[in-house]
Amino acid sequence: MRLQGKVALVTGASSGIGAAVAQRFAAEGAHVCVNYRPASDRDRQAAESAVAAYPTPGIAFQADVTRREDVDAMVAATVKAFGRLDIAVANAGIEIKRPFLEATDDEWARVIGVNLFGGYATAQAAARQMVAQGGGGRIVFMSSVHEDIPFPGYTSYCASKGGIRMLMRNIAIELAPHGITANDIAPGAIATPINQSVLDDPESMRNAVSEIPLGRFGRPDEVASVAVFLASDEAAYVTGSTYYVDGGLTQQVTMY
Ligand code: NAD
């Protein structure tokens, strides 16, 4: 049990990578706050039934990470339930495909709002709690290979993830005196709902897989393994780093 007695929150944890991270944290002995976004009964049900199946008590909490008051309430609810907060995973994310010349301000604001502001607000609210309680902490951002690699048609997404990379590197320095580490996980192509249109289209799948040296999409649990490591005591000396979980994609990318 690598996270025995730790208290964690994971944003956007009702599906995909976030759900796998929350589940693995609970299996490793952590109490987990499983965040899901408002306005979706399916997300609420998924979060609540996941928590009910964990071996360790957890909570499901509705919060929109683009809203500061929701993020603060999520941290407060976690602390109320379990007394402290040791680990925060800023995982919630969206993408909108649109050629740059056609992109709208609304689309830009939505993607930057969830991915970049959401990551900032989650990390800040969590770090404030960690500093107040003492004893250090772990902040993990679910970034993307697109924190570094361009992806035509997804400019707002790439800008948001590039922003997360610099946010992470900066706060790794600012929070180090408090014993709080900050790191990115940069997944490549992982089989989750965010990629449903590619997963459903055999030709898109062939093109995507042809870019991946390991020859397949990754699974959410393969990302969760790295999150467990970064959240654990074993990663005490790791901060300011990006961990790629991409089957080698970044080594030979031409871009699918
Ligand atoms: P997903 O769509 O299953 O997960 C995204 C989650 O974010 C969903 O549960 C969604 O409800 C939640 N969310 C969206 N807006 C929110 C908001 N305003 N407040 C709270 N939650 C909100 O897809 P995923 O692949 O599991 O994505 C998780 C993260 O991994 C994202 O940040 C994504 O950018 C990143 N990522 C995914 C891949 C991939 O190939 N799947 C690759 C690189 C990075």
Side-chain angles (χ1 to χ4, degrees):
M1 298 280 247
R2 295 154 78 190
L3 303 178
Q4 186 69 48
K6 302 283 189 196
V7 179
L9 73 78
V10 185
T11 66
S14 56
S15 63
I17 294 169
V21 170
Q23 198 280 330
R24 280 291 303 282
F25 280 9
E28 295 286 351
H31 296 292
V32 187
C33 171
V34 174
N35 161 244
Y36 62 94
R37 71 180 147 189
S40 164
D41 248 11
R42 208 181 51 176
D43 284 324
R44 181 180 55 74
Q45 281 161 11
E48 286 176 353
S49 57
V51 168
Y54 291 163
T56 323
I59 56 169
F61 193 85
Q62 176 183 288
D64 178 343
V65 298
T66 68
R67 295 165 59 90
R68 164 67 70 177
E69 59 271 31
D70 282 20
V71 173
D72 287 345
M74 172 174 65
V75 170
T78 308
V79 174
K80 185 168 179 223
F82 304 115
R84 55 187 292 112
L85 177 65
D86 302 297
I87 302 157
V89 181
N91 167 81
I94 59 170
E95 62 183 29
I96 297 175
K97 182 177 187 181
R98 190 81 64 205
F100 179 61
L101 294 176
E102 296 165 21
T104 68
D105 293 354
D106 176 62
E107 291 164 350
W108 176 267
R110 280 163 56 205
V111 173
I112 297 293
V114 176
N115 299 6
L116 187 52
F117 178 84
Y120 152 77
T122 301
Q124 190 183 53
R128 285 175 172 163
Q129 171 60 31
M130 291 168 185
V131 169
Q133 74 197 13
R138 299 275 185 273
I139 296 171
V140 179
F141 296 97
M142 205 54 67
S143 176
S144 166
V145 293
H146 300 299
E147 70 169 37
D148 195 41
I149 296 175
F151 193 5
Y154 292 87
T155 297
S156 56
Y157 185 76
C158 293
S160 72
K161 298 297 186 178
I164 284 290
R165 177 167 183 261
M166 285 310 298
L167 165 65
M168 177 278 291
R169 293 172 66 196
N170 235 61
I171 70 172
I173 299 170
E174 287 198 38
L175 299 177
H178 302 284
I180 300 168
T181 65
N183 292 286
D184 275 5
I185 296 176
I190 311 298
T192 72
I194 213 171
N195 286 323
Q196 205 56 55
S197 59
V198 177
L199 294 166
D200 289 344
D201 176 22
E203 196 189 332
S204 300
M205 271 304 273
R206 266 195 303 279
N207 291 341
V209 167
S210 74
E211 302 277 5
I212 304 169
L214 286 181
R216 63 174 177 85
F217 270 45
R219 299 187 310 269
D221 64 285
E222 293 176 308
V223 182
S225 306
V226 178
V228 168
F229 166 68
L230 289 173
S232 75
D233 291 344
E234 293 164 63
Y237 200 57
V238 179
T239 198
S241 292
T242 292
Y243 278 63
Y244 288 88
V245 185
D246 69 350
L249 174 71
T250 40
Q251 304 310 311
Q252 72 161 22
V253 73
T254 55
M255 213 56 259
Y256 54 86

